[in-house]
Amino acid sequence: MAYNVIDLINKSIDMEERRKKLYENIGKQQKEHSSIKIMSKVLIKNIDKTIKHYKDLNKELKNIELEEIDFWTYDKISFLINQYNKKEYEVSFDNVGDYIKFSLNLEKDMYSLLIDIQGRFVKDIKDTYTKTYEILSDIISNRVKHIETLEKILKSRS
């Protein structure tokens, strides 16, 4: 079976679903901090938009010939994603500012993972002109927007 960027998009959807569950659990646990509960809903809504974007991208790519990802590269990427999914995060917050910082760190971790994954595809300059590289760039760009939004929210709170 040949792997392609659709497999990576599916793994990205899975990672987003995991984060969504994390935010849902945080929102449920926050009985005395309504602002954290509200922020959880905002973050979940953002994740839902990202998942929809990924699913739309999958539909769009179904009928396009895509570059194959060699087994060894895909295996390394799968390992990195599994390591990311195993990370444990302390989810104790006293206020919404700490929660936003926590979310920002999650976004930055995922951004770093995506940059690492994209870098593993580039063996020479022509690899930067592939559909796989282009799609990963789009996913990374989306992540940067999330980071910038959270940073703006944090800045406005200071």
Side-chain angles (χ1 to χ4, degrees), residues 89-148:
Y89 294 95
E90 185 177 329
V91 289
S92 174
F93 317 105
D94 293 328
N95 57 60
V96 74
D98 290 343
Y99 186 36
I100 295 169
K101 287 177 191 173
F102 167 80
S103 300
L104 178 60
N105 288 332
L106 277 179
E107 289 290 340
K108 287 180 176 180
D109 280 353
M110 190 174 282
Y111 171 78
S112 296
L113 173 66
L114 292 168
I115 292 291
D116 190 356
I117 289 170
Q118 186 182 44
R120 292 178 186 270
F121 288 104
V122 181
K123 306 290 187 263
D124 68 44
I125 193 72
K126 72 177 186 315
D127 294 333
T128 62
Y129 298 103
T130 63
K131 192 72 174 162
T132 299
Y133 189 87
E134 176 187 325
I135 291 164
L136 285 171
S137 293
D138 175 61
I139 291 171
I140 290 167
S141 174
N142 193 24
R143 189 69 43 211
V144 168
K145 289 176 189 170
H146 293 302
I147 290 169
E148 289 171 347

Side-chain angles (χ1 to χ4, degrees), residues 59-96:
K59 287 177 189 172
E60 183 182 316
L61 296 172
K62 289 283 185 206
N63 299 318
I64 296 175
E65 189 171 327
L66 300 166
E67 305 87 15
E68 288 185 10
I69 301 171
D70 70 81
F71 174 77
W72 300 111
T73 302
Y74 187 79
D75 187 53
K76 288 176 188 174
I77 289 168
S78 289
F79 176 77
L80 289 172
I81 292 170
N82 288 337
Q83 290 300 106
Y84 174 84
N85 286 334
K86 289 180 184 176
K87 278 186 177 181
E88 297 284 328
Y89 294 95
E90 185 177 329
V91 289
S92 174
F93 317 105
D94 293 328
N95 57 60
V96 74

Side-chain angles (χ1 to χ4, degrees), residues 2-104:
Y3 298 104
N4 62 37
V5 73
I6 291 174
D7 297 297
L8 295 179
I9 294 169
N10 289 334
K11 286 192 174 284
S12 295
I13 291 170
D14 182 55
M15 288 189 299
E16 293 293 340
E17 292 286 353
R18 288 172 185 265
R19 283 187 337 126
K20 181 178 176 179
K21 286 178 188 169
L22 175 67
Y23 289 144
E24 287 171 344
N25 289 335
I26 291 169
K28 288 176 189 171
Q29 294 169 357
Q30 296 298 322
K31 292 177 177 43
E32 60 223 33
H33 297 293
S34 61
S35 56
I36 292 176
K37 208 172 193 173
I38 292 167
M39 183 53 73
S40 287
K41 289 179 183 180
V42 170
L43 293 168
I44 289 166
K45 196 172 193 175
N46 198 6
I47 288 172
D48 286 338
K49 286 180 188 176
T50 300
I51 291 171
K52 182 184 179 330
H53 174 69
Y54 290 164
K55 287 181 178 181
D56 291 346
L57 195 55
N58 264 349
K59 287 177 189 172
E60 183 182 316
L61 296 172
K62 289 283 185 206
N63 299 318
I64 296 175
E65 189 171 327
L66 300 166
E67 305 87 15
E68 288 185 10
I69 301 171
D70 70 81
F71 174 77
W72 300 111
T73 302
Y74 187 79
D75 187 53
K76 288 176 188 174
I77 289 168
S78 289
F79 176 77
L80 289 172
I81 292 170
N82 288 337
Q83 290 300 106
Y84 174 84
N85 286 334
K86 289 180 184 176
K87 278 186 177 181
E88 297 284 328
Y89 294 95
E90 185 177 329
V91 289
S92 174
F93 317 105
D94 293 328
N95 57 60
V96 74
D98 290 343
Y99 186 36
I100 295 169
K101 287 177 191 173
F102 167 80
S103 300
L104 178 60

